[in-house]
Structure formats: C-alpha cells, structure tokens
Amino acid sequence: MHLCIPPHVQLQLDLQEIERKEVTLADGSKRLVPYVGPVELRFKNRTGFAGAVVLGDEVLLGAIPMEDMDLVIIPKTRTVDVNPASPNVAMTIVKTVR
C-alpha cells in the first residue's frame, strides 16, 4: 500500500525519521519500522509526495502513491505507466462536503 524504501536509500536522501509505524508483512508478522518523508516522486509527467516506511532491500511503489499520481499497472508488459484515460493530467476522485 505504502512507499517502501530500504535503509540505504533513506541515508542517501538524508530522510529523517518522523515516527515509527507498525506494519503487517505479507507473512502476517508485524514489525515496527521508521516512517520518513516527505519524498517527492516523479514518473513521466506526474509528480506526487508521500511518506515512506523504511524496510526491505528494494524500493516498492505502493498503491497509495500510484493512485495519487494516477498510474496504472500494464499486466501484459508488467510495467507501470500513466493512466491512458488521463494521459496529460493526473486525475483523482474527491468528494466535497456541503
């Protein structure tokens, strides 16, 4: 769900720990990990900002930042791209409160 970065990326970007978050891993175990940010994300003509949990050994772009930048997964090529339904500007859904 969230952006995950390994510890060496946190160091390279000089990201300070804001707090610790408890995360549930794929195997069901729980771990307390550093939460850092903000991180500016760029992909093609899209920009987003996110906090990141620090764990693992590779960067994982989660569903939340992908949704924020209006990116989609292309199953055939196993790649990420801008949403073809909104190629020029990221689109999002919001609900207004009256």
Side-chain angles (χ1 to χ4, degrees), residues 46 69-72 74 81-91:
R46 306 295 162 92
M69 293 190 293
D70 196 18
L71 302 177
V72 295
I74 311 298
D81 208 346
V82 298
N83 186 344
S86 54
N88 300 316
V89 177
M91 219 169 75

Side-chain angles (χ1 to χ4, degrees), residues 8-67:
H8 73 271
V9 172
Q10 176 192 6
L11 291 172
Q12 288 172 344
L13 298 177
D14 193 27
L15 294 168
Q16 301 304 308
E17 182 177 317
I18 298 166
E19 64 183 11
R20 290 179 107 35
K21 287 193 181 253
E22 184 175 8
V23 298
T24 303
L25 303 176
D27 66 2
S29 65
K30 296 186 183 300
R31 188 181 299 172
L32 202 57
V33 297
Y35 183 70
V36 300
V39 179
E40 182 177 354
L41 305 166
R42 292 180 179 264
F43 182 83
K44 294 189 176 180
N45 64 340
R46 306 295 162 92
T47 304
F49 295 91
V53 294
V54 180
L55 98 141
D57 57 5
E58 63 183 335
V59 175
L60 298 173
L61 184 62
I64 295 170
M66 284 183 61
E67 181 84 16

